[in-house]
Amino acid sequence: MGAPWTMARPMDLSFLAQLGIGKTNSGAFDGTWRKTKGEQLVVRSPIDGSEIGRVQMATAQDYAAASKAAHATFLRWRELPGPKRGEFVRQIGVAFRANKDLLGRLISLEAGKILQEGLGEAQECVDIADFATGLSRQLYGLTIASERQDHSMRETWHPLGTCGIITAFNFPMAVWAWNAMLALTCGDSCLWKPSLKTPLSSIAMTKLAAAVLGKQWAPLVALVIGPDADVGSAMLDDPLVPLVSATGSTRMGRIVGPRVAQRFGRSLLELGGNNAIAVMADADLDLAVRATVFGAVGTAGQRCTTTRRLLVHEQVIDDLQARLVKAFAQCKIGNPLDQKTLVGPLIDEASAKGFDHAVATAAAQGGKVVVGGKRASVKGCKGGAYVQPTIVRCPSMLPIVREETFAPILYMLPIRSLDEAIAVNNDVPQGLSSSIFTADVRAAERFLAATGSDCGIANVNIGTSGAEIGGAFGGEKETGGGRESGSDSWKVYMRRQTSTVNWGTSLPLAQGIQFGD
Ligand code: NAD
């Protein structure tokens, strides 16, 4: 890692050039950076609202060219043996590693995460490239026992085509890397449509990957930066894109899922969460406090896995509340590039208005703000939208608690038993992440059992956020049901083929059917 980046006024943007980012950038890459004719997007840092670059956005025409190039390159790429594809992915990972410091800074600058979390996200890109490299030698199929004499059966996995990748602002690099590193390894090409709030991150990542792939393979990492109604829509309806992996709000998933299904495309949806930690009476409260603060306050509450609900046994709720109020009040709100800051800005003013609305609604519905609840002003960052980490004590599940507000608001509710903790944990439309703090192995196992948490992620004595890439990541219900990253998530990027070979001299039929013999 290079020298720590400290605050400087005006903000020092000189490092962007090292990532190939200029003052004005093309918003479409199809192997070469196109001269796009879309509107100019002014990119502002959430830190202080200042301009950090411009992007000439892609049009539907640019989209069509990128899709065509990605598809044509896929037709050649799929012929390469998996381990050879893995070698390219390994080298892309080396490029991420070499640029980790710069990438982390860019994430901080463009998405507003504190620098530590920006560096963590850059590390996740390295990790998934390493994982995908190993995977390139492990795209295992099956051999299956055939019921027929002298027949063999097997199941194999083949490359699928172009993987469309729609990403949210809050993980501007890692979500693409989770998808793209696996997709490339699986023999697919990628076509990325990033959030318009974080386009520079997508340009930097595309440049790094394209440089490794070289001219011959660069269209495998195609990029289109443009409006949803234009390039987003084109992707959803594009028959050259058999898989659309979309990360973002449930609102977006409701549009993407049915649209892609309409043309029998496959979608991988990673949508909103409403994650709870249950704290039982026998829990280690020191651990619970630390996990809750990181889970609720980290990334200023803008992670899909952010802890939004704390379900606390009535015997310890007052004690835990007192400790958390103290800890929340001590979290330093400020410029995310300042090493002491723990809470950076929200992505924009609209998000801060969402925070104001949720706090007011919770109070109107019977909740009591016990810490935070207000906007914060940060010296030198007037144009940023900063808010205080907030805890609302609720008598029970209020209607607002069922909604995901992308801000650092923690709703704290009393529970009286493990059964109640599980019932309340599951009593929301979303199903991403959950955890229980307890010293009782029976309670822990019950939480993880079929009758326990209904979420895609269920943890014991660690919080809801900060997943490792080795496991399959995703959630149920309105979170969309998709799984990406580790375990066998790679299978969604491939097509499965079942083959039966008759190596004998007769033609027995399955199920013993006699047909005209
Ligand atoms: P968003 O839904 O506003 O946007 C996400 C992406 O979808 C953007 O690229 C956007 O341009 C695109 N999009 C929106 N409507 C579209 C349409 N009609 N056609 C094509 N593309 C469209 O979300 P956001 O504000 O960027 O991110 C925050 C949300 O993302 C939260 O709900 C959070 O929980 C969720 N998220 C989920 C995960 C996960 O893995 N489950 C990870 C990160 C973020």
Side-chain angles (χ1 to χ4, degrees):
M1 209 179 100
W5 207 37
T6 47
M7 281 167 61
R9 297 254 84 73
M11 226 153 19
D12 179 7
L13 303 179
S14 58
F15 78 97
L16 292 177
Q18 294 178 61
L19 289 168
I21 292 169
K23 280 209 167 96
T24 303
N25 305 275
S26 161
F29 180 74
D30 61 4
T32 52
W33 292 91
R34 288 174 65 85
K35 280 200 173 17
T36 45
K37 295 216 171 67
E39 275 179 43
Q40 199 170 72
L41 175 69
V42 177
V43 188
R44 298 189 178 280
S45 171
I47 297 175
D48 60 1
S50 63
E51 180 176 330
I52 55 174
R54 287 179 183 223
V55 175
Q56 201 72 41
M57 286 198 284
T59 60
Q61 225 178 4
D62 299 314
Y63 173 86
S67 170
K68 214 170 136 200
H71 178 71
T73 316
F74 155 73
L75 296 178
R76 293 186 287 115
W77 180 247
R78 67 180 174 178
E79 291 182 29
L80 234 59
K84 289 227 161 67
R85 300 192 297 252
E87 173 55 19
F88 279 100
V89 171
R90 188 187 69 77
Q91 289 180 35
I92 293 173
V94 168
F96 292 160
R97 197 174 254 116
N99 288 278
K100 179 180 163 183
D101 185 36
L102 296 172
L103 295 174
R105 289 178 195 185
L106 174 52
I107 293 168
S108 271
L109 182 70
E110 199 177 33
K113 288 186 192 188
I114 61 168
L115 192 53
Q116 271 304 312
E117 291 184 295
L119 291 169
E121 178 170 349
Q123 182 61 43
E124 247 180 298
C125 302
V126 174
D127 293 345
I128 193 69
D130 285 353
F131 179 92
T133 304
L135 176 70
S136 70
R137 292 178 185 272
Q138 300 174 75
L139 301 170
Y140 298 138
L142 283 178
T143 57
I144 300 164
S146 170
E147 68 189 47
R148 286 173 278 185
Q149 189 69 41
D150 299 340
H151 280 53
S152 55
M153 266 177 90
R154 66 175 191 234
E155 189 175 275
T156 42
W157 294 91
H158 296 301
L160 185 66
T162 296
C163 172
I165 305 172
I166 295 175
T167 55
F169 79 84
N170 67 329
F171 277 91
M173 294 183 188
V175 170
W176 172 78
W178 291 347
N179 285 280
M181 296 305 104
L182 292 195
L184 290 175
T185 291
C186 291
D188 299 343
S189 53
C190 303
L191 178 49
W192 186 3
K193 196 221 75 64
S195 164
L196 292 186
K197 294 171 186 171
T198 51
L200 302 185
S201 294
S202 67
I203 292 172
M205 292 299 269
T206 300
K207 289 204 166 174
L208 285 175
V212 170
L213 289 168
K215 211 167 169 228
Q216 189 188 5
W217 300 116
L220 291 171
V221 288
L223 171 71
V224 280
I225 301 170
D228 297 335
D230 200 348
V231 300
S233 231
M235 179 182 283
L236 305 189
D237 298 334
D238 185 353
L240 291 181
V241 178
L243 168 66
V244 175
S245 173
T247 299
S249 59
T250 295
R251 183 197 62 77
M252 175 276 283
R254 273 190 221 288
I255 298 168
V256 171
R259 272 276 283 282
V260 175
Q262 190 74 24
R263 60 171 171 90
F264 299 102
R266 202 184 280 182
S267 56
L268 190 175
L269 299 178
E270 296 283 357
L271 311 175
N274 191 348
N275 319 293
I277 294 180
V279 182
M280 305 313 292
D282 63 356
D284 179 333
L285 292 191
D286 291 340
L287 285 192
V289 167
R290 284 172 56 197
T292 304
V293 173
F294 177 69
V297 174
T299 325
Q302 299 170 107
R303 284 186 184 221
C304 51
T305 51
T306 289
T307 309
R308 308 206 179 276
R309 297 177 296 141
L310 194 63
L311 322 177
V312 192
H313 197 281
E314 60 184 2
Q315 285 173 17
V316 290
I317 193 166
D318 292 330
D319 183 7
L320 190 61
Q321 179 178 314
R323 295 196 205 192
L324 283 172
V325 164
K326 207 167 147 201
F328 271 49
Q330 280 171 357
C331 288
K332 187 175 178 306
I333 305 166
N335 186 322
L337 299 169
D338 181 341
Q339 309 250 350
K340 294 202 186 91
T341 296
L342 285 183
V343 191
L346 295 181
I347 189 70
D348 54 21
E349 176 57 25
S351 232
K353 287 206 169 97
F355 166 89
D356 296 339
H357 172 77
V359 171
T361 307
Q365 291 176 354
K368 183 167 178 265
V369 176
V370 293
V371 64
K374 296 201 167 64
R375 302 278 189 117
S377 76
V378 170
K379 212 170 150 226
C381 299
K382 242 182 142 194
Y386 293 82
V387 300
Q388 296 173 337
T390 299
I391 299 177
V392 182
R393 175 89 176 248
C394 305
S396 59
M397 281 286 287
L398 309 174
I400 187 74
V401 179
R402 290 174 203 281
E403 292 174 27
E404 181 197 48
T405 301
F406 227 47
I409 303 173
L410 180 69
Y411 301 108
M412 195 169 182
L413 288 80
I415 44 111
R416 279 149 290 268
S417 67
L418 177 62
D419 281 343
E420 189 184 358
I422 292 170
V424 177
N425 177 73
N426 296 349
D427 189 21
V428 290
Q430 311 84 349
L432 181 53
S433 186
S434 58
S435 60
I436 187 167
F437 277 73
T438 179
D440 178 356
V441 70
R442 288 183 179 153
E445 289 291 342
R446 169 77 208 295
F447 189 76
L448 305 183
T451 52
S453 164
D454 64 0
C455 294
I457 298 168
N459 296 330
V460 176
N461 292 334
I462 66 162
T464 56
S465 67
E468 299 178 25
I469 59 103
F473 180 89
E476 304 300 333
K477 302 192 293 187
E478 288 190 6
T479 303
R483 291 295 185 280
E484 59 191 20
S485 200
S487 183
D488 65 353
S489 305
W490 58 271
K491 290 179 175 170
V492 77
Y493 303 90
M494 303 198 83
R495 65 183 170 84
R496 183 195 305 244
Q497 188 166 72
T498 304
S499 314
T500 309
V501 177
N502 176 3
W503 52 274
T505 52
S506 61
L507 195 69
L509 299 179
Q511 293 88 42
I513 292 174
Q514 301 295 321
F515 193 75
D517 297 328

